[in-house]
């Protein structure tokens, strides 16, 4: 028996074990695991990147056209960067938790999603200038985060019942 070293991500964390192949299962099952939660996992990053680009463009134009109060443009840009980092962590926790069928990782992803939702509410209500594009993108992101929360709780319940 030859033991091969386990592949490791650049972050130093080992990759989760691969999901068992199911005959006739879609390709997303092999990548993201099984259950209802993988339905949102491939879709949400595309929306996040689009929202990040639109928000940066809107803040860039608004920063040049409108007169921001002192320090608020830097605050908005830093919170936008924090939101992008949190979304990457949320996606990693969700995929890893679903592949390993771990309540802890899925719960961690839901906790990060809650923080991301609070930042989304900030961009929806309290940033210096709230534009129509911000309202539309934040409403879509809050809807997707709410769906992820419901499906994440269902996945945790499913994993817990399977383990007991």
């Amino acid at each position: 028996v030859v033991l091969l070293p386990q592949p490791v991500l650049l972050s130093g964390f080992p990759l989760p074990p691969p999901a068992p192949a199911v005959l006739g299962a879609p390709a997303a099952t092999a990548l993201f695991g099984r259950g209802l939660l993988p339905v949102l996992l491939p879709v949400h990053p595309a929306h996040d990147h689009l929202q990040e680009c639109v928000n940066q463009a809107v803040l860039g134009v608004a920063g040049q056209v409108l007169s921001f109060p002192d320090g608020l443009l830097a605050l908005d840009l830093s919170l936008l960067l924090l939101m992008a980092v949190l979304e990457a962590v949320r996606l990693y926790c969700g995929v890893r938790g679903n592949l390993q069928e771990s309540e802890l990782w899925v719960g961690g992803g839901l906790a990060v999603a809650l923080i991301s939702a609070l930042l989304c509410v900030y961009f929806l209500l309290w940033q210096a200038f709230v534009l129509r594009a911000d309202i539309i993108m934040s409403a879509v992101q809050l809807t997707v985060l709410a769906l992820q929360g419901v499906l994440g709780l269902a996945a945790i319940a499913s994993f817990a019942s399977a383990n007991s």
Side-chain angles (χ1 to χ4, degrees), residues 32 37-52 83 86-88 90-91 112-113 116-117 120 137-149:
F32 298 111
L37 188 58
V39 173
L40 288 178
L41 290 176
V43 174
H44 194 65
H47 173 262
D48 279 341
H49 294 305
L50 177 65
Q51 180 177 9
E52 188 74 24
M83 191 174 189
L86 285 175
E87 288 300 315
R90 182 201 55 79
L91 179 67
V112 173
S116 182
C120 189
M137 296 298 284
S138 294
V140 169
Q141 184 174 12
L142 281 174
T143 303
V144 171
L145 285 171
L147 282 172
Q148 182 202 353

Side-chain angles (χ1 to χ4, degrees), residues 62-86:
Q64 292 179 355
V65 173
L66 304 171
S67 61
F68 268 80
D70 291 337
L72 287 185
L73 181 60
L75 174 69
D76 285 351
L77 286 174
S78 61
L79 287 178
L80 190 63
L81 179 65
L82 175 66
M83 191 174 189
V85 170
L86 285 175

Side-chain angles (χ1 to χ4, degrees), residues 3-26:
L3 296 176
L4 297 175
Q6 184 177 6
V8 176
L9 291 174
L10 292 177
S11 64
F13 295 111
L15 288 172
V22 178
L23 187 61

Side-chain angles (χ1 to χ4, degrees), residues 9 13 16 32 37 41 85-113 148 152 155-156 159:
L9 291 174
F13 295 111
F32 298 111
L37 188 58
L41 290 176
V85 170
L86 285 175
E87 288 300 315
V89 170
R90 182 201 55 79
L91 179 67
Y92 177 77
C93 288
V95 169
R96 183 172 178 144
N98 207 31
L99 282 175
Q100 292 183 343
E101 295 186 0
S102 168
E103 300 96 356
L104 183 65
W105 280 102
V106 174
L110 289 178
V112 173
Q148 182 202 353
I156 288 174
F159 299 157

